[in-house]
Amino acid sequence: MSSGENFSSRIWTSSKKKQSNIILALDPVQENDLSKYLNEIVSLLESGICAIKFNLHVIVPLGQDEMTKIIQMCHSYGIQVIADIKLNDIPSTNEIALKCLVEEGFDAIIANPIIGRLETIELVKKAHSLGTGILAIIYMSHPGASQTYGIQVYDKSEKNGIRRVPLYRLLLKYAKEAKVDGLVVGATKPHIINEIASGKPAPIFSPGLGHQGGSILQASKYGVDYFIIGRSIIQSAEPLKTLGLLQDSLRKR
Ligand code: BMP
């Protein structure tokens, strides 16, 4: 953790300092020397990103000590670090995972409110007591997401009786009650972003841009606060130049 502020303030400060709302999804594939690769790519791109998101395929092979070193390097550049493990287990297991990631130095963790209303509230309380943020998955970006996040379910928590709602609206309700630090909504679902953005209880973090078909300008227009971008940057021929072009297009919006 890089300061006494909460995650929302820390990432906001980073985005102002870096003049960038871009979060790098750093998902390398089969690097022989993973630490060396991460060091090089972070040093190359740090000036144009406010945060980095790491998935399990970095967190697991790297191990605690190496992960901590990379996180410390990110913090030295004023970058926030997010663990994308889509935490989704029973409370006691979630708490252990949370503590391990906090010990490694992560600033925020992505979790899935499908664990339930009270469980999400409990998780966020615990995370906040440790100075860490929780970003809640509301609607994923891949094609099959509509078969789950979009299905109709019964909301039994309504005072005036049971209501049928799409699952993502129920997850949004849990996320709001739990006071999460961010909502993860796929950029491939602009109408959902548009719906959630009016009266959003927390900033919207959106993946699914570029490679997955989401448009950065449309996402921005509809109310995305932070843009999660991976392959379009790191797999481009000139990652720094690509990042600069993306920043320019966001500044001009
Ligand atoms: P890319 O820009 O290369 O498609 O990367 C997107 C990143 O965001 C990946 O790390 C992926 O795991 C993550 N992600 C996603 O693509 N869609 C979601 O709904 C949620 C995610 O966390």
Side-chain angles (χ1 to χ4, degrees):
M1 228 65 45
S2 46
S3 79
E5 293 174 304
N6 62 28
F7 171 72
S8 301
S9 312
R10 293 198 302 269
I11 192 163
W12 189 84
T13 305
S14 299
S15 72
K16 293 297 148 211
K17 276 192 191 149
K18 302 279 184 179
Q19 296 188 7
S20 173
N21 288 9
I22 296 176
I23 297 175
L24 183 67
L26 193 33
D27 302 332
V29 260
Q30 292 184 332
E31 286 297 328
N32 289 335
D33 189 339
L34 187 56
S35 293
K36 184 166 173 275
Y37 169 79
L38 295 173
N39 268 287
E40 285 171 2
I41 194 94
V42 173
S43 307
L44 179 70
L45 301 176
E46 59 87 13
S47 60
I49 52 176
C50 61
I52 295 187
K53 181 182 80 61
F54 290 112
N55 268 336
L56 282 174
H57 55 283
V58 165
I59 299 171
V60 171
L62 217 51
Q64 183 157 17
D65 291 349
E66 285 303 308
M67 192 70 249
T68 299
K69 281 186 203 156
I70 298 289
I71 293 172
Q72 285 169 350
M73 182 183 59
C74 294
H75 286 164
S76 74
Y77 288 131
I79 294 170
Q80 290 290 288
V81 191
I82 300 165
D84 183 1
I85 62 160
K86 300 183 178 69
L87 192 61
N88 182 18
D89 214 313
I90 59 168
S92 56
T93 306
N94 287 342
E95 192 173 329
I96 295 167
L98 174 68
K99 280 184 179 157
C100 288
L101 293 164
V102 171
E103 264 173 39
E104 288 186 7
F106 280 101
D107 295 283
I109 289 148
I110 298 183
N112 196 329
I114 196 93
I115 53 178
R117 179 179 165 273
L118 288 176
E119 289 77 0
T120 305
I121 292 172
E122 194 182 325
L123 176 67
V124 174
K125 263 194 198 151
K126 188 74 216 170
H128 286 177
S129 76
L130 298 170
T132 307
I134 293 289
L135 308 181
I137 299 265
I138 305 298
Y139 206 123
M140 289 189 73
S141 60
H142 59 292
S146 57
Q147 295 159 12
T148 49
Y149 294 91
I151 55 165
Q152 295 288 318
V153 295
Y154 291 104
D155 178 1
K156 295 182 180 169
S157 61
E158 285 289 313
K159 280 191 194 104
N160 305 329
I162 298 173
R163 256 193 343 139
R164 281 189 87 203
V165 291
L167 177 61
Y168 75 88
R169 284 203 198 134
L170 191 61
L171 300 181
L172 181 63
K173 190 170 161 182
Y174 294 170
K176 187 175 175 178
E177 283 186 67
K179 299 188 176 65
V180 300
D181 304 86
L183 311 167
V184 179
V185 187
T188 50
K189 321 283 176 203
H191 58 290
I192 307 279
I193 293 176
N194 199 21
E195 177 195 322
I196 291 173
S198 57
K200 61 187 165 191
I204 298 180
F205 291 67
S206 193
L209 298 150
H211 259 247
Q212 296 181 51
S215 147
I216 194 161
L217 291 181
Q218 194 178 33
S220 165
K221 188 173 136 206
Y222 282 174
V224 165
D225 298 277
Y226 296 102
F227 303 83
I228 300 176
I229 310 176
R231 289 165 294 176
S232 301
I233 298 173
I234 62 171
Q235 290 182 9
S236 74
E238 293 183 75
L240 188 57
K241 191 171 166 195
T242 307
L243 175 61
L245 292 173
L246 287 167
Q247 278 181 277
D248 285 348
S249 66
L250 278 171
R251 278 194 205 110
K252 283 187 201 135
R253 78 199 125 129

